[in-house]
Amino acid sequence: MGSIKPPDIMLAFVQLFSAVLASIYIVGAQAQAQVQMEAQVLPKCTKEYTVKPGDTCDGISAAQRVSTWQLAQANPQINKGCTNLFVGQKLCLVRNGENCQPTYVVNAGDTCSSIAKKVGTTFDALRANNPNIDAKCSNIYPKEVLCVAKGGKKAQDQMEAQVLPECTKGYTVKSGDFCDGISATQGVSTYQLAHANPQINKGCTNLFVGEKLCLARKGEDCQPTHIVQVGDTCASIARAAGTSFDTLRANNPNIDAKCSNIYPGEVLCVAKKKGLMYCQEEDM
């Protein structure tokens, strides 16, 4: 058996040190993004949870009795696969006016119809309280946590009335519509459309024909907009619009710190002032 040479030990040490630094950077960036996002757009958190070793999103939802959708909506910093949790991370379980109860943990063999029948509600009410469920209920899975409130659409309407500003401009989904297409034709940013319609899932795969969307809420219509083209960067977009990178990110909080996640077809707000409530001032 060969012995480990000094250069090998040094290389291993350098690799380990680099990995530790990378982890510290990622955790810090996630925590900072979480604080900034919550301060800008989310209702006050009224119940928190601290992530422990071995936690998963569905496990937290089940133990703390909040739906999978509610946990995701209350914590937009969590990615789609819930793979970026870290020990010590502070999550919000309940935001002001946004606590759908009671909950139900999906079992193998469950269907939306069987769940609705079991708890004494309807399929429409189940979907209204869990907007992540698709039209055919083909995407529920064992251990997912659903809200099974009997209020359904009425409960959702009451929740939105409590926490979201009044809608000042609406849109009805048509056949073939998708989120970025709607944003582009209606002149609203991708972020604004998502923020004004929390029932839309992260992939925008749960739109349905006839659905009523809000394009702008009172005090939250960030103008003008720009459709990202192939080759665009945040720097080039900001320069063309006469604004700065910091302002661009402030008005589009979905853009990451390195501007590595913009994509062709995405619609950005390119206002020259920061913050949704200030975006219309130049037209006043």
Side-chain angles (χ1 to χ4, degrees):
M1 182 180 295
S3 60
I4 299 176
K5 299 178 181 179
D8 295 330
I9 296 175
M10 181 61 71
L11 177 60
F13 176 77
V14 170
Q15 291 174 335
L16 177 61
F17 184 68
S18 298
V20 171
L21 284 181
S23 298
I24 293 172
Y25 173 80
I26 291 171
V27 169
Q30 288 174 329
Q32 183 180 13
Q34 179 180 1
V35 170
Q36 290 175 338
M37 187 173 293
E38 289 184 355
Q40 289 172 354
V41 301
L42 297 175
K44 181 182 179 181
C45 185
T46 55
K47 185 179 180 182
E48 286 190 338
Y49 175 81
T50 302
V51 176
K52 300 176 177 60
D55 272 344
T56 64
C57 283
D58 286 334
I60 293 170
S61 292
Q64 301 299 316
R65 297 182 181 180
V66 298
S67 72
T68 296
W69 186 78
Q70 180 172 310
L71 184 68
Q73 286 297 113
N75 300 277
Q77 75 277 14
I78 299 176
N79 64 22
K80 192 173 182 180
C82 189
T83 60
N84 63 338
L85 295 183
F86 56 91
V87 175
Q89 182 179 14
K90 299 289 186 181
L91 298 182
C92 184
L93 298 176
V94 180
R95 293 193 181 276
N96 186 31
E98 295 180 336
N99 191 21
C100 196
Q101 295 294 325
T103 58
Y104 174 87
V105 180
V106 177
N107 297 298
D110 275 345
T111 65
C112 282
S113 296
S114 68
I115 294 169
K117 184 177 180 180
K118 186 181 297 185
V119 301
T121 187
T122 65
F123 173 60
D124 287 344
L126 191 66
R127 277 201 72 210
N129 288 320
N130 302 275
N132 51 317
I133 298 177
D134 64 29
K136 295 183 179 180
C137 189
S138 62
N139 63 335
I140 65 171
Y141 55 88
K143 296 186 179 180
E144 180 180 12
V145 184
L146 303 179
C147 170
V148 290
K150 296 179 181 180
K153 186 63 170 64
K154 182 179 179 182
Q156 183 187 23
D157 288 343
Q158 290 173 342
M159 182 182 296
E160 291 184 356
Q162 288 173 355
V163 302
L164 294 175
E166 175 188 358
C167 185
T168 55
K169 184 179 180 183
Y171 177 82
T172 303
V173 176
K174 301 176 178 61
S175 179
D177 272 345
F178 57 99
C179 285
D180 285 334
I182 294 171
S183 292
T185 57
Q186 300 301 312
V188 298
S189 72
T190 296
Y191 172 79
Q192 180 172 309
L193 183 68
H195 176 55
N197 300 275
Q199 75 278 12
I200 299 176
N201 63 22
K202 287 187 178 181
C204 189
T205 59
N206 63 336
L207 295 182
F208 56 90
V209 175
E211 182 178 9
K212 301 291 186 182
L213 299 182
C214 183
L215 298 177
R217 295 192 179 275
K218 188 175 182 180
E220 295 183 345
D221 190 13
C222 198
Q223 296 294 328
T225 59
H226 169 83
I227 302 173
V228 178
Q229 307 295 317
V230 175
D232 273 350
T233 64
C234 282
S236 67
I237 294 169
R239 184 167 54 249
T243 187
S244 66
F245 174 57
D246 287 344
T247 300
L248 188 67
R249 279 201 71 211
N251 289 322
N252 302 274
N254 50 318
I255 297 176
D256 63 31
K258 295 184 178 180
C259 190
S260 63
N261 62 335
I262 65 171
Y263 56 89
E266 181 179 11
V267 184
L268 302 179
C269 170
V270 289
K272 295 179 181 179
K273 292 187 178 182
K274 294 182 181 180
L276 290 173
M277 68 182 68
Y278 300 112
C279 291
Q280 300 179 66
E281 284 192 358
E282 293 182 338
D283 299 326
M284 295 174 65

